Amino acid sequence: MSRTLVAYFSASGTTERLAKRLAAAIGADLYEIEPEIPYTAKDLDWMDKKSRSSVEMRDKSFRPAVAGDVWDMGEYDTIFVAFPIWWYVAPTIVNTFLEQHDLRGKKIITLATSGGSGMGNTNKELAPSCPGAELKEGKVFSADTGEDVLRRWAEGMVLA
Ligand SMILES: Cc1cc2nc3c(=O)[nH]c(=O)nc-3n(C[C@H](O)[C@H](O)[C@H](O)COP(=O)(O)O)c2cc1C
């Protein structure tokens, strides 16, 4: 699979393991959606209504800043976007990432790790951030999913 990118956000390393294995399985390039201000363990406390993640996720129009230069995504036809499920959807930094790029005509395939939730309304929340792209709903994987399973799934998604 050429001209394919795996972009991922991972606050505590679980999604990163999955994303790296997926990229290796399909020979894709890898891009980390890195927050300008990293999330601390305290920021991620979903039991605390005042924690950074709780406050951010209550306002779906908030866009946490992404660190580093904006990549030229022009050469990629297909972009897998991996993230943890936060409050049943993608963390809004994934919206920030999508909005930084012109993704018209590209295939965007989402996948996630979670504590048990499925994809829920994930793509519904992401769709307005990538107008003109073909946004496809992937699925939640366990972080230790093997390369063969990921390759078969990814090839199926790209051809579908
Ligand atoms: C703020 C926050 C909200 C979360 N909300 C959910 C949720 O709604 N459903 C769920 O199954 N897991 C939820 N989780 C658990 C994460 O999705 C899960 O631990 C994920 O694998 C973490 O990935 P990471 O290590 O790449 O950040 C949440 C975690 C955090 C920090």
Side-chain angles (χ1 to χ4, degrees):
M1 264 191 252
S2 61
R3 295 155 66 94
T4 300
L5 181 73
V6 175
Y8 71 94
F9 166 66
S10 180
S12 52
T14 307
T15 310
E16 179 171 59
R17 280 165 47 215
L18 179 72
K20 285 186 169 168
R21 201 169 314 109
L22 171 62
I26 61 177
D29 291 344
L30 192 66
Y31 171 83
E32 180 178 6
I33 304 167
E34 211 180 325
E36 206 165 87
I37 306 165
Y39 289 86
T40 64
K42 207 159 171 271
D43 290 340
L44 298 174
D45 183 358
W46 64 82
M47 306 286 275
D48 177 359
K49 286 192 167 68
K50 292 184 183 148
S51 75
R52 176 181 168 198
S53 60
S54 296
V55 171
E56 286 183 2
M57 292 303 286
R58 262 200 300 277
D59 175 5
K60 291 286 159 48
S61 66
F62 184 75
R63 296 287 181 264
V66 173
D69 296 333
V70 175
W71 266 31
D72 179 2
M73 298 287 167
E75 65 175 295
Y76 300 110
D77 305 319
T78 303
I79 304 177
F80 288 88
V81 183
F83 44 82
I85 299 290
W86 281 9
W87 296 104
Y88 309 104
V89 292
T92 46
I93 195 167
V94 177
N95 295 82
T96 312
F97 164 74
L98 295 175
E99 288 167 13
Q100 282 179 326
H101 304 280
D102 181 1
L103 301 172
R104 255 163 256 275
K106 297 183 191 298
K107 199 176 267 196
I108 310 290
I109 303 165
T110 53
L111 70 155
T113 67
S114 83
S117 299
M119 296 298 276
N121 282 331
T122 299
N123 276 25
K124 211 170 144 193
E125 300 278 355
L126 295 178
S129 297
C130 52
E134 185 192 348
L135 180 63
K136 303 186 71 155
E137 183 169 302
K139 56 190 238 181
V140 171
F141 285 96
S142 102
D144 52 14
T145 306
E147 275 197 27
D148 285 352
V149 171
L150 289 172
R151 186 183 308 110
R152 271 196 298 275
W153 170 78
E155 285 170 355
M157 290 302 286
V158 169
L159 296 176

